[in-house]
Amino acid sequence: GGGGTRGPWTVPLAFSAPSGRCCGRAGRPDVPPPPASMECEDGVIILEEKPSEEFEPTEEEVRNYAEWLGMDPEVDADLMYLAREGLKAPLTDGWKPCQNAESEIFYFNFETGQSSWDHPADETYRSLVADKKREKREGKGQVDMDAGVDGMDVDMGNVTEEGSAAGRRLKLVKAVYCVCSSGGGDRTCGAMYYTLFQCTPHCPSACHAKGMGYKACDGAREVMWFSRLRYKWTDCS
């Protein structure tokens, strides 16, 4: 599925006639967005963005987006408001969410002709989070320095090479969703896989086994968009 698009999007439970088509198409996330001169393609529709005042992201959505922005929800609890604010940030300056025939979401600017996999607000909030975290580190460093001047010792005896290595270990988890659909705005998790390469060949049969059609193999961030775009999402049990 699409790669760097921002968190809180969902698809309407039922679309009325599409409001138009986007000049530009979405492909795989490793393919750059099309140039502005590319002709409009069949199957690419303009989605309707839910007004910010009518959209309230769930705690899980906020947490997932916070992690994508570079935060640790526990360590950076004081900055979590930025994740919620970023999820509710509306599209501006000619940007519209679009979806292609493969259910991949991208963004198109009807004033400039620019296409993007990322929500226009994503980079702004990632930079803002980085700045806030840097301010916290610098502030903490000053506090530690002042404490040292006052004669306080810092015990580093419990920090071992083994402990540092343990913190760097990665745990492999199933994080790719096999997305199925029974029609309309319904989306259902057919199965979970470790990688996109594992999901792609197996997802269609998993969906057919449930009596549904195959839609896509998506990551957690793409699944988060479903609520903002008003899709009805049924998670894996």
Side-chain angles (χ1 to χ4, degrees), residues 10-13 15 45 47 99-104 178-190 212-216 218 222-223 226 230-236:
T10 46
V11 182
L13 292 177
F15 277 118
I45 62 173
L47 302 175
Q99 178 177 291
N100 69 357
E102 286 73 41
S103 299
E104 295 167 321
C178 167
V179 181
C180 311
S181 176
S182 58
D186 288 346
R187 296 292 185 272
T188 300
C189 176
M212 301 181 182
Y214 163 72
K215 296 303 294 184
D218 287 330
E222 290 147 314
V223 170
F226 293 162
R230 300 189 293 279
Y231 281 132
K232 180 181 179 181
W233 170 247
T234 303
D235 207 344
C236 286

PDB file of all heavy atoms in Angstrom, residues 10-13 15 45 47 99-104 178-190 212-216 218 222-223 226 230-236:
ATOM      1  N   THR A  10      -9.672   8.255   6.663  1.00  0.00           N
ATOM      2  CA  THR A  10     -10.563   7.121   6.528  1.00  0.00           C
ATOM      3  C   THR A  10     -11.468   7.346   5.337  1.00  0.00           C
ATOM      4  O   THR A  10     -11.567   8.437   4.831  1.00  0.00           O
ATOM      5  CB  THR A  10     -11.460   6.977   7.758  1.00  0.00           C
ATOM      6  OG1 THR A  10     -11.957   8.248   8.050  1.00  0.00           O
ATOM      7  CG2 THR A  10     -10.713   6.418   8.905  1.00  0.00           C
ATOM      8  N   VAL A  11     -12.132   6.307   4.888  1.00  0.00           N
ATOM      9  CA  VAL A  11     -12.975   6.431   3.710  1.00  0.00           C
ATOM     10  C   VAL A  11     -14.427   6.468   4.124  1.00  0.00           C
ATOM     11  O   VAL A  11     -14.819   5.750   5.024  1.00  0.00           O
ATOM     12  CB  VAL A  11     -12.744   5.259   2.772  1.00  0.00           C
ATOM     13  CG1 VAL A  11     -13.568   5.376   1.528  1.00  0.00           C
ATOM     14  CG2 VAL A  11     -11.285   5.196   2.444  1.00  0.00           C
ATOM     15  N   PRO A  12     -15.234   7.302   3.479  1.00  0.00           N
ATOM     16  CA  PRO A  12     -16.644   7.404   3.838  1.00  0.00           C
ATOM     17  C   PRO A  12     -17.322   6.043   3.780  1.00  0.00           C
ATOM     18  O   PRO A  12     -16.978   5.215   2.962  1.00  0.00           O
ATOM     19  CB  PRO A  12     -17.216   8.366   2.791  1.00  0.00           C
ATOM     20  CG  PRO A  12     -16.037   9.140   2.329  1.00  0.00           C
ATOM     21  CD  PRO A  12     -14.857   8.231   2.441  1.00  0.00           C
ATOM     22  N   LEU A  13     -18.297   5.848   4.639  1.00  0.00           N
ATOM     23  CA  LEU A  13     -19.027   4.588   4.624  1.00  0.00           C
ATOM     24  C   LEU A  13     -19.647   4.357   3.257  1.00  0.00           C
ATOM     25  O   LEU A  13     -19.747   3.242   2.778  1.00  0.00           O
ATOM     26  CB  LEU A  13     -20.125   4.617   5.698  1.00  0.00           C
ATOM     27  CG  LEU A  13     -19.619   4.611   7.137  1.00  0.00           C
ATOM     28  CD1 LEU A  13     -20.800   4.704   8.101  1.00  0.00           C
ATOM     29  CD2 LEU A  13     -18.854   3.326   7.424  1.00  0.00           C
ATOM     30  N   PHE A  15     -19.762   6.442  -0.623  1.00  0.00           N
ATOM     31  CA  PHE A  15     -19.481   7.622  -1.439  1.00  0.00           C
ATOM     32  C   PHE A  15     -20.691   7.939  -2.304  1.00  0.00           C
ATOM     33  O   PHE A  15     -21.293   7.055  -2.896  1.00  0.00           O
ATOM     34  CB  PHE A  15     -18.300   7.363  -2.371  1.00  0.00           C
ATOM     35  CG  PHE A  15     -16.974   7.571  -1.725  1.00  0.00           C
ATOM     36  CD1 PHE A  15     -16.083   6.519  -1.602  1.00  0.00           C
ATOM     37  CD2 PHE A  15     -16.618   8.808  -1.242  1.00  0.00           C
ATOM     38  CE1 PHE A  15     -14.856   6.705  -1.011  1.00  0.00           C
ATOM     39  CE2 PHE A  15     -15.386   9.000  -0.648  1.00  0.00           C
ATOM     40  CZ  PHE A  15     -14.513   7.954  -0.534  1.00  0.00           C
ATOM     41  N   ILE A  45      -9.932   9.113  -7.836  1.00  0.00           N
ATOM     42  CA  ILE A  45     -11.026   9.990  -7.397  1.00  0.00           C
ATOM     43  C   ILE A  45     -10.553  10.932  -6.299  1.00  0.00           C
ATOM     44  O   ILE A  45      -9.559  10.676  -5.632  1.00  0.00           O
ATOM     45  CB  ILE A  45     -12.232   9.188  -6.889  1.00  0.00           C
ATOM     46  CG1 ILE A  45     -11.840   8.345  -5.667  1.00  0.00           C
ATOM     47  CG2 ILE A  45     -12.806   8.325  -7.991  1.00  0.00           C
ATOM     48  CD1 ILE A  45     -13.012   7.652  -4.998  1.00  0.00           C
ATOM     49  N   LEU A  47     -11.191  12.402  -2.699  1.00  0.00           N
ATOM     50  CA  LEU A  47     -11.887  12.046  -1.476  1.00  0.00           C
ATOM     51  C   LEU A  47     -12.303  13.306  -0.729  1.00  0.00           C
ATOM     52  O   LEU A  47     -11.763  14.377  -0.953  1.00  0.00           O
ATOM     53  CB  LEU A  47     -10.980  11.196  -0.582  1.00  0.00           C
ATOM     54  CG  LEU A  47     -10.458   9.905  -1.211  1.00  0.00           C
ATOM     55  CD1 LEU A  47      -9.481   9.224  -0.270  1.00  0.00           C
ATOM     56  CD2 LEU A  47     -11.602   8.969  -1.558  1.00  0.00           C
ATOM     57  N   GLN A  99      -7.490   9.001  -4.203  1.00  0.00           N
ATOM     58  CA  GLN A  99      -7.330   7.550  -4.099  1.00  0.00           C
ATOM     59  C   GLN A  99      -7.375   6.943  -5.487  1.00  0.00           C
ATOM     60  O   GLN A  99      -8.232   7.306  -6.299  1.00  0.00           O
ATOM     61  CB  GLN A  99      -8.440   6.966  -3.227  1.00  0.00           C
ATOM     62  CG  GLN A  99      -8.400   5.451  -3.088  1.00  0.00           C
ATOM     63  CD  GLN A  99      -9.478   4.957  -2.159  1.00  0.00           C
ATOM     64  OE1 GLN A  99      -9.431   5.189  -0.959  1.00  0.00           O
ATOM     65  NE2 GLN A  99     -10.480   4.306  -2.711  1.00  0.00           N
ATOM     66  N   ASN A 100      -6.466   6.017  -5.744  1.00  0.00           N
ATOM     67  CA  ASN A 100      -6.454   5.384  -7.056  1.00  0.00           C
ATOM     68  C   ASN A 100      -7.253   4.091  -7.047  1.00  0.00           C
ATOM     69  O   ASN A 100      -7.840   3.726  -6.031  1.00  0.00           O
ATOM     70  CB  ASN A 100      -5.011   5.151  -7.531  1.00  0.00           C
ATOM     71  CG  ASN A 100      -4.288   4.086  -6.734  1.00  0.00           C
ATOM     72  OD1 ASN A 100      -4.825   3.527  -5.774  1.00  0.00           O
ATOM     73  ND2 ASN A 100      -3.061   3.798  -7.110  1.00  0.00           N
ATOM     74  N   ALA A 101      -7.279   3.393  -8.164  1.00  0.00           N
ATOM     75  CA  ALA A 101      -8.073   2.177  -8.301  1.00  0.00           C
ATOM     76  C   ALA A 101      -7.592   1.076  -7.375  1.00  0.00           C
ATOM     77  O   ALA A 101      -8.321   0.127  -7.092  1.00  0.00           O
ATOM     78  CB  ALA A 101      -8.038   1.695  -9.751  1.00  0.00           C
ATOM     79  N   GLU A 102      -6.335   1.171  -6.887  1.00  0.00           N
ATOM     80  CA  GLU A 102      -5.790   0.159  -5.976  1.00  0.00           C
ATOM     81  C   GLU A 102      -5.985   0.562  -4.506  1.00  0.00           C
ATOM     82  O   GLU A 102      -5.370  -0.012  -3.606  1.00  0.00           O
ATOM     83  CB  GLU A 102      -4.290  -0.059  -6.234  1.00  0.00           C
ATOM     84  CG  GLU A 102      -3.986  -0.842  -7.499  1.00  0.00           C
ATOM     85  CD  GLU A 102      -4.240  -0.004  -8.748  1.00  0.00           C
ATOM     86  OE1 GLU A 102      -3.893   1.197  -8.732  1.00  0.00           O
ATOM     87  OE2 GLU A 102      -4.804  -0.546  -9.724  1.00  0.00           O
ATOM     88  N   SER A 103      -6.824   1.568  -4.260  1.00  0.00           N
ATOM     89  CA  SER A 103      -7.131   2.045  -2.908  1.00  0.00           C
ATOM     90  C   SER A 103      -5.950   2.717  -2.228  1.00  0.00           C
ATOM     91  O   SER A 103      -5.931   2.868  -1.011  1.00  0.00           O
ATOM     92  CB  SER A 103      -7.638   0.891  -2.018  1.00  0.00           C
ATOM     93  OG  SER A 103      -8.811   0.341  -2.548  1.00  0.00           O
ATOM     94  N   GLU A 104      -4.953   3.149  -2.980  1.00  0.00           N
ATOM     95  CA  GLU A 104      -3.807   3.842  -2.412  1.00  0.00           C
ATOM     96  C   GLU A 104      -4.107   5.338  -2.336  1.00  0.00           C
ATOM     97  O   GLU A 104      -4.642   5.919  -3.281  1.00  0.00           O
ATOM     98  CB  GLU A 104      -2.559   3.590  -3.256  1.00  0.00           C
ATOM     99  CG  GLU A 104      -2.133   2.131  -3.239  1.00  0.00           C
ATOM    100  CD  GLU A 104      -1.109   1.815  -4.305  1.00  0.00           C
ATOM    101  OE1 GLU A 104      -1.221   2.346  -5.426  1.00  0.00           O
ATOM    102  OE2 GLU A 104      -0.185   1.040  -4.024  1.00  0.00           O
ATOM    103  N   CYS A 178      -3.563  -7.294   5.858  1.00  0.00           N
ATOM    104  CA  CYS A 178      -4.209  -7.736   4.615  1.00  0.00           C
ATOM    105  C   CYS A 178      -5.611  -7.129   4.648  1.00  0.00           C
ATOM    106  O   CYS A 178      -6.436  -7.493   5.485  1.00  0.00           O
ATOM    107  CB  CYS A 178      -4.278  -9.260   4.576  1.00  0.00           C
ATOM    108  SG  CYS A 178      -5.364  -9.916   3.281  1.00  0.00           S
ATOM    109  N   VAL A 179      -5.875  -6.164   3.768  1.00  0.00           N
ATOM    110  CA  VAL A 179      -7.147  -5.431   3.787  1.00  0.00           C
ATOM    111  C   VAL A 179      -8.107  -6.013   2.755  1.00  0.00           C
ATOM    112  O   VAL A 179      -7.812  -6.057   1.558  1.00  0.00           O
ATOM    113  CB  VAL A 179      -6.923  -3.931   3.516  1.00  0.00           C
ATOM    114  CG1 VAL A 179      -8.248  -3.181   3.567  1.00  0.00           C
ATOM    115  CG2 VAL A 179      -5.947  -3.350   4.531  1.00  0.00           C
ATOM    116  N   CYS A 180      -9.267  -6.459   3.242  1.00  0.00           N
ATOM    117  CA  CYS A 180     -10.303  -7.031   2.381  1.00  0.00           C
ATOM    118  C   CYS A 180     -11.525  -6.110   2.390  1.00  0.00           C
ATOM    119  O   CYS A 180     -11.645  -5.223   3.238  1.00  0.00           O
ATOM    120  CB  CYS A 180     -10.711  -8.419   2.881  1.00  0.00           C
ATOM    121  SG  CYS A 180      -9.339  -9.544   3.232  1.00  0.00           S
ATOM    122  N   SER A 181     -12.424  -6.333   1.463  1.00  0.00           N
ATOM    123  CA  SER A 181     -13.636  -5.509   1.406  1.00  0.00           C
ATOM    124  C   SER A 181     -14.808  -6.332   0.881  1.00  0.00           C
ATOM    125  O   SER A 181     -14.662  -7.144  -0.026  1.00  0.00           O
ATOM    126  CB  SER A 181     -13.425  -4.296   0.501  1.00  0.00           C
ATOM    127  OG  SER A 181     -14.626  -3.553   0.368  1.00  0.00           O
ATOM    128  N   SER A 182     -15.969  -6.089   1.497  1.00  0.00           N
ATOM    129  CA  SER A 182     -17.206  -6.720   1.030  1.00  0.00           C
ATOM    130  C   SER A 182     -18.015  -5.759   0.178  1.00  0.00           C
ATOM    131  O   SER A 182     -19.135  -6.048  -0.214  1.00  0.00           O
ATOM    132  CB  SER A 182     -18.032  -7.191   2.236  1.00  0.00           C
ATOM    133  OG  SER A 182     -18.316  -6.100   3.101  1.00  0.00           O
ATOM    134  N   GLY A 183     -17.409  -4.598  -0.105  1.00  0.00           N
ATOM    135  CA  GLY A 183     -18.072  -3.615  -0.946  1.00  0.00           C
ATOM    136  C   GLY A 183     -18.309  -2.308  -0.222  1.00  0.00           C
ATOM    137  O   GLY A 183     -18.277  -2.244   1.012  1.00  0.00           O
ATOM    138  N   GLY A 184     -18.534  -1.247  -0.987  1.00  0.00           N
ATOM    139  CA  GLY A 184     -18.795   0.055  -0.402  1.00  0.00           C
ATOM    140  C   GLY A 184     -17.616   0.559   0.393  1.00  0.00           C
ATOM    141  O   GLY A 184     -16.466   0.420  -0.003  1.00  0.00           O
ATOM    142  N   GLY A 185     -17.908   1.128   1.569  1.00  0.00           N
ATOM    143  CA  GLY A 185     -16.852   1.678   2.406  1.00  0.00           C
ATOM    144  C   GLY A 185     -16.373   0.737   3.488  1.00  0.00           C
ATOM    145  O   GLY A 185     -15.680   1.159   4.400  1.00  0.00           O
ATOM    146  N   ASP A 186     -16.748  -0.546   3.417  1.00  0.00           N
ATOM    147  CA  ASP A 186     -16.308  -1.503   4.423  1.00  0.00           C
ATOM    148  C   ASP A 186     -14.887  -1.968   4.136  1.00  0.00           C
ATOM    149  O   ASP A 186     -14.526  -2.258   2.997  1.00  0.00           O
ATOM    150  CB  ASP A 186     -17.228  -2.718   4.458  1.00  0.00           C
ATOM    151  CG  ASP A 186     -18.592  -2.398   5.062  1.00  0.00           C
ATOM    152  OD1 ASP A 186     -18.712  -1.333   5.678  1.00  0.00           O
ATOM    153  OD2 ASP A 186     -19.516  -3.215   4.897  1.00  0.00           O
ATOM    154  N   ARG A 187     -14.077  -2.051   5.176  1.00  0.00           N
ATOM    155  CA  ARG A 187     -12.728  -2.597   5.080  1.00  0.00           C
ATOM    156  C   ARG A 187     -12.535  -3.553   6.254  1.00  0.00           C
ATOM    157  O   ARG A 187     -12.856  -3.218   7.393  1.00  0.00           O
ATOM    158  CB  ARG A 187     -11.667  -1.490   5.129  1.00  0.00           C
ATOM    159  CG  ARG A 187     -11.715  -0.520   3.948  1.00  0.00           C
ATOM    160  CD  ARG A 187     -11.306  -1.197   2.652  1.00  0.00           C
ATOM    161  NE  ARG A 187     -11.247  -0.262   1.553  1.00  0.00           N
ATOM    162  CZ  ARG A 187     -12.280   0.057   0.773  1.00  0.00           C
ATOM    163  NH1 ARG A 187     -13.468  -0.497   1.018  1.00  0.00           N
ATOM    164  NH2 ARG A 187     -12.125   0.902  -0.224  1.00  0.00           N
ATOM    165  N   THR A 188     -12.021  -4.740   5.984  1.00  0.00           N
ATOM    166  CA  THR A 188     -11.854  -5.767   7.005  1.00  0.00           C
ATOM    167  C   THR A 188     -10.447  -6.337   6.953  1.00  0.00           C
ATOM    168  O   THR A 188      -9.898  -6.559   5.869  1.00  0.00           O
ATOM    169  CB  THR A 188     -12.872  -6.907   6.806  1.00  0.00           C
ATOM    170  OG1 THR A 188     -14.204  -6.381   6.903  1.00  0.00           O
ATOM    171  CG2 THR A 188     -12.689  -7.993   7.860  1.00  0.00           C
ATOM    172  N   CYS A 189      -9.866  -6.571   8.113  1.00  0.00           N
ATOM    173  CA  CYS A 189      -8.547  -7.200   8.190  1.00  0.00           C
ATOM    174  C   CYS A 189      -8.698  -8.692   7.919  1.00  0.00           C
ATOM    175  O   CYS A 189      -9.405  -9.395   8.648  1.00  0.00           O
ATOM    176  CB  CYS A 189      -7.934  -6.965   9.562  1.00  0.00           C
ATOM    177  SG  CYS A 189      -6.336  -7.799   9.796  1.00  0.00           S
ATOM    178  N   GLY A 190      -8.032  -9.168   6.865  1.00  0.00           N
ATOM    179  CA  GLY A 190      -8.109 -10.580   6.520  1.00  0.00           C
ATOM    180  C   GLY A 190      -7.065 -11.409   7.227  1.00  0.00           C
ATOM    181  O   GLY A 190      -7.284 -12.585   7.526  1.00  0.00           O
ATOM    182  N   MET A 212     -14.687 -12.224   0.677  1.00  0.00           N
ATOM    183  CA  MET A 212     -14.515 -10.804   0.374  1.00  0.00           C
ATOM    184  C   MET A 212     -13.516 -10.614  -0.753  1.00  0.00           C
ATOM    185  O   MET A 212     -12.815 -11.543  -1.151  1.00  0.00           O
ATOM    186  CB  MET A 212     -14.021 -10.052   1.616  1.00  0.00           C
ATOM    187  CG  MET A 212     -14.930 -10.130   2.806  1.00  0.00           C
ATOM    188  SD  MET A 212     -14.256  -9.190   4.220  1.00  0.00           S
ATOM    189  CE  MET A 212     -15.515  -9.522   5.451  1.00  0.00           C
ATOM    190  N   GLY A 213     -13.451  -9.407  -1.234  1.00  0.00           N
ATOM    191  CA  GLY A 213     -12.496  -9.063  -2.272  1.00  0.00           C
ATOM    192  C   GLY A 213     -11.219  -8.480  -1.667  1.00  0.00           C
ATOM    193  O   GLY A 213     -11.237  -7.896  -0.592  1.00  0.00           O
ATOM    194  N   TYR A 214     -10.122  -8.674  -2.376  1.00  0.00           N
ATOM    195  CA  TYR A 214      -8.829  -8.145  -1.924  1.00  0.00           C
ATOM    196  C   TYR A 214      -8.731  -6.660  -2.269  1.00  0.00           C
ATOM    197  O   TYR A 214      -9.062  -6.232  -3.368  1.00  0.00           O
ATOM    198  CB  TYR A 214      -7.714  -8.925  -2.615  1.00  0.00           C
ATOM    199  CG  TYR A 214      -6.355  -8.252  -2.578  1.00  0.00           C
ATOM    200  CD1 TYR A 214      -5.630  -8.189  -1.406  1.00  0.00           C
ATOM    201  CD2 TYR A 214      -5.808  -7.687  -3.736  1.00  0.00           C
ATOM    202  CE1 TYR A 214      -4.379  -7.584  -1.370  1.00  0.00           C
ATOM    203  CE2 TYR A 214      -4.569  -7.081  -3.715  1.00  0.00           C
ATOM    204  CZ  TYR A 214      -3.856  -7.036  -2.527  1.00  0.00           C
ATOM    205  OH  TYR A 214      -2.632  -6.428  -2.515  1.00  0.00           O
ATOM    206  N   LYS A 215      -8.251  -5.861  -1.307  1.00  0.00           N
ATOM    207  CA  LYS A 215      -8.064  -4.431  -1.529  1.00  0.00           C
ATOM    208  C   LYS A 215      -6.588  -4.041  -1.571  1.00  0.00           C
ATOM    209  O   LYS A 215      -6.129  -3.440  -2.526  1.00  0.00           O
ATOM    210  CB  LYS A 215      -8.763  -3.620  -0.440  1.00  0.00           C
ATOM    211  CG  LYS A 215     -10.269  -3.761  -0.421  1.00  0.00           C
ATOM    212  CD  LYS A 215     -10.910  -3.381  -1.743  1.00  0.00           C
ATOM    213  CE  LYS A 215     -10.737  -1.915  -2.052  1.00  0.00           C
ATOM    214  NZ  LYS A 215     -11.435  -1.525  -3.297  1.00  0.00           N
ATOM    215  N   ALA A 216      -5.835  -4.397  -0.529  1.00  0.00           N
ATOM    216  CA  ALA A 216      -4.436  -3.958  -0.469  1.00  0.00           C
ATOM    217  C   ALA A 216      -3.740  -4.582   0.733  1.00  0.00           C
ATOM    218  O   ALA A 216      -4.376  -5.168   1.605  1.00  0.00           O
ATOM    219  CB  ALA A 216      -4.359  -2.434  -0.366  1.00  0.00           C
ATOM    220  N   ASP A 218      -1.554  -3.095   3.677  1.00  0.00           N
ATOM    221  CA  ASP A 218      -1.280  -1.772   4.226  1.00  0.00           C
ATOM    222  C   ASP A 218      -0.602  -1.845   5.587  1.00  0.00           C
ATOM    223  O   ASP A 218      -0.735  -2.836   6.315  1.00  0.00           O
ATOM    224  CB  ASP A 218      -2.581  -0.972   4.379  1.00  0.00           C
ATOM    225  CG  ASP A 218      -3.136  -0.507   3.051  1.00  0.00           C
ATOM    226  OD1 ASP A 218      -2.331  -0.267   2.126  1.00  0.00           O
ATOM    227  OD2 ASP A 218      -4.366  -0.380   2.934  1.00  0.00           O
ATOM    228  N   GLU A 222      -1.545   3.562   7.318  1.00  0.00           N
ATOM    229  CA  GLU A 222      -2.594   3.613   6.305  1.00  0.00           C
ATOM    230  C   GLU A 222      -3.937   3.194   6.881  1.00  0.00           C
ATOM    231  O   GLU A 222      -4.976   3.777   6.543  1.00  0.00           O
ATOM    232  CB  GLU A 222      -2.204   2.728   5.122  1.00  0.00           C
ATOM    233  CG  GLU A 222      -1.053   3.305   4.332  1.00  0.00           C
ATOM    234  CD  GLU A 222      -0.146   2.247   3.745  1.00  0.00           C
ATOM    235  OE1 GLU A 222       0.221   1.309   4.475  1.00  0.00           O
ATOM    236  OE2 GLU A 222       0.196   2.364   2.570  1.00  0.00           O
ATOM    237  N   VAL A 223      -3.920   2.191   7.751  1.00  0.00           N
ATOM    238  CA  VAL A 223      -5.159   1.753   8.389  1.00  0.00           C
ATOM    239  C   VAL A 223      -5.741   2.868   9.248  1.00  0.00           C
ATOM    240  O   VAL A 223      -6.956   3.030   9.355  1.00  0.00           O
ATOM    241  CB  VAL A 223      -4.897   0.483   9.225  1.00  0.00           C
ATOM    242  CG1 VAL A 223      -6.099   0.141  10.096  1.00  0.00           C
ATOM    243  CG2 VAL A 223      -4.571  -0.699   8.302  1.00  0.00           C
ATOM    244  N   PHE A 226      -8.310   5.244   7.661  1.00  0.00           N
ATOM    245  CA  PHE A 226      -9.663   4.801   7.360  1.00  0.00           C
ATOM    246  C   PHE A 226     -10.719   5.571   8.133  1.00  0.00           C
ATOM    247  O   PHE A 226     -11.783   5.871   7.612  1.00  0.00           O
ATOM    248  CB  PHE A 226      -9.805   3.296   7.636  1.00  0.00           C
ATOM    249  CG  PHE A 226      -8.998   2.423   6.701  1.00  0.00           C
ATOM    250  CD1 PHE A 226      -8.724   1.107   7.032  1.00  0.00           C
ATOM    251  CD2 PHE A 226      -8.521   2.907   5.499  1.00  0.00           C
ATOM    252  CE1 PHE A 226      -7.981   0.292   6.178  1.00  0.00           C
ATOM    253  CE2 PHE A 226      -7.786   2.117   4.641  1.00  0.00           C
ATOM    254  CZ  PHE A 226      -7.518   0.801   4.980  1.00  0.00           C
ATOM    255  N   ARG A 230     -13.609   7.989   6.729  1.00  0.00           N
ATOM    256  CA  ARG A 230     -14.929   7.453   7.054  1.00  0.00           C
ATOM    257  C   ARG A 230     -15.179   6.059   6.476  1.00  0.00           C
ATOM    258  O   ARG A 230     -16.310   5.693   6.176  1.00  0.00           O
ATOM    259  CB  ARG A 230     -16.026   8.440   6.645  1.00  0.00           C
ATOM    260  CG  ARG A 230     -15.907   9.780   7.336  1.00  0.00           C
ATOM    261  CD  ARG A 230     -17.105  10.659   7.087  1.00  0.00           C
ATOM    262  NE  ARG A 230     -17.230  11.087   5.706  1.00  0.00           N
ATOM    263  CZ  ARG A 230     -16.572  12.089   5.168  1.00  0.00           C
ATOM    264  NH1 ARG A 230     -15.714  12.763   5.915  1.00  0.00           N
ATOM    265  NH2 ARG A 230     -16.752  12.431   3.925  1.00  0.00           N
ATOM    266  N   TYR A 231     -14.142   5.258   6.344  1.00  0.00           N
ATOM    267  CA  TYR A 231     -14.334   3.839   6.059  1.00  0.00           C
ATOM    268  C   TYR A 231     -14.764   3.142   7.344  1.00  0.00           C
ATOM    269  O   TYR A 231     -14.361   3.524   8.446  1.00  0.00           O
ATOM    270  CB  TYR A 231     -13.031   3.176   5.588  1.00  0.00           C
ATOM    271  CG  TYR A 231     -12.665   3.426   4.147  1.00  0.00           C
ATOM    272  CD1 TYR A 231     -11.372   3.820   3.810  1.00  0.00           C
ATOM    273  CD2 TYR A 231     -13.578   3.256   3.127  1.00  0.00           C
ATOM    274  CE1 TYR A 231     -11.007   4.046   2.496  1.00  0.00           C
ATOM    275  CE2 TYR A 231     -13.227   3.483   1.808  1.00  0.00           C
ATOM    276  CZ  TYR A 231     -11.938   3.876   1.493  1.00  0.00           C
ATOM    277  OH  TYR A 231     -11.580   4.094   0.196  1.00  0.00           O
ATOM    278  N   LYS A 232     -15.530   2.102   7.225  1.00  0.00           N
ATOM    279  CA  LYS A 232     -15.886   1.262   8.365  1.00  0.00           C
ATOM    280  C   LYS A 232     -14.839   0.161   8.444  1.00  0.00           C
ATOM    281  O   LYS A 232     -14.780  -0.729   7.597  1.00  0.00           O
ATOM    282  CB  LYS A 232     -17.272   0.668   8.199  1.00  0.00           C
ATOM    283  CG  LYS A 232     -17.698  -0.210   9.367  1.00  0.00           C
ATOM    284  CD  LYS A 232     -19.086  -0.805   9.142  1.00  0.00           C
ATOM    285  CE  LYS A 232     -19.480  -1.699  10.296  1.00  0.00           C
ATOM    286  NZ  LYS A 232     -20.811  -2.309  10.072  1.00  0.00           N
ATOM    287  N   TRP A 233     -14.014   0.184   9.475  1.00  0.00           N
ATOM    288  CA  TRP A 233     -12.883  -0.739   9.592  1.00  0.00           C
ATOM    289  C   TRP A 233     -13.140  -1.803  10.646  1.00  0.00           C
ATOM    290  O   TRP A 233     -13.547  -1.512  11.767  1.00  0.00           O
ATOM    291  CB  TRP A 233     -11.608   0.020   9.964  1.00  0.00           C
ATOM    292  CG  TRP A 233     -10.451  -0.852  10.341  1.00  0.00           C
ATOM    293  CD1 TRP A 233      -9.877  -0.950  11.572  1.00  0.00           C
ATOM    294  CD2 TRP A 233      -9.727  -1.732   9.481  1.00  0.00           C
ATOM    295  NE1 TRP A 233      -8.828  -1.832  11.536  1.00  0.00           N
ATOM    296  CE2 TRP A 233      -8.708  -2.339  10.266  1.00  0.00           C
ATOM    297  CE3 TRP A 233      -9.816  -2.080   8.144  1.00  0.00           C
ATOM    298  CZ2 TRP A 233      -7.807  -3.258   9.747  1.00  0.00           C
ATOM    299  CZ3 TRP A 233      -8.919  -2.998   7.618  1.00  0.00           C
ATOM    300  CH2 TRP A 233      -7.937  -3.569   8.413  1.00  0.00           C
ATOM    301  N   THR A 234     -12.940  -3.082  10.277  1.00  0.00           N
ATOM    302  CA  THR A 234     -13.037  -4.206  11.202  1.00  0.00           C
ATOM    303  C   THR A 234     -11.654  -4.804  11.349  1.00  0.00           C
ATOM    304  O   THR A 234     -11.104  -5.361  10.382  1.00  0.00           O
ATOM    305  CB  THR A 234     -14.024  -5.279  10.696  1.00  0.00           C
ATOM    306  OG1 THR A 234     -15.298  -4.684  10.497  1.00  0.00           O
ATOM    307  CG2 THR A 234     -14.131  -6.409  11.705  1.00  0.00           C
ATOM    308  N   ASP A 235     -11.078  -4.687  12.537  1.00  0.00           N
ATOM    309  CA  ASP A 235      -9.715  -5.150  12.774  1.00  0.00           C
ATOM    310  C   ASP A 235      -9.684  -6.663  12.884  1.00  0.00           C
ATOM    311  O   ASP A 235     -10.708  -7.323  13.054  1.00  0.00           O
ATOM    312  CB  ASP A 235      -9.170  -4.530  14.056  1.00  0.00           C
ATOM    313  CG  ASP A 235      -7.665  -4.407  14.049  1.00  0.00           C
ATOM    314  OD1 ASP A 235      -7.013  -5.057  13.212  1.00  0.00           O
ATOM    315  OD2 ASP A 235      -7.132  -3.668  14.892  1.00  0.00           O
ATOM    316  N   CYS A 236      -8.454  -7.215  12.797  1.00  0.00           N
ATOM    317  CA  CYS A 236      -8.293  -8.649  12.992  1.00  0.00           C
ATOM    318  C   CYS A 236      -8.625  -8.996  14.442  1.00  0.00           C
ATOM    319  O   CYS A 236      -8.234  -8.271  15.350  1.00  0.00           O
ATOM    320  CB  CYS A 236      -6.850  -9.073  12.681  1.00  0.00           C
ATOM    321  SG  CYS A 236      -6.451  -9.112  10.923  1.00  0.00           S
TER     322      CYS A 236
END
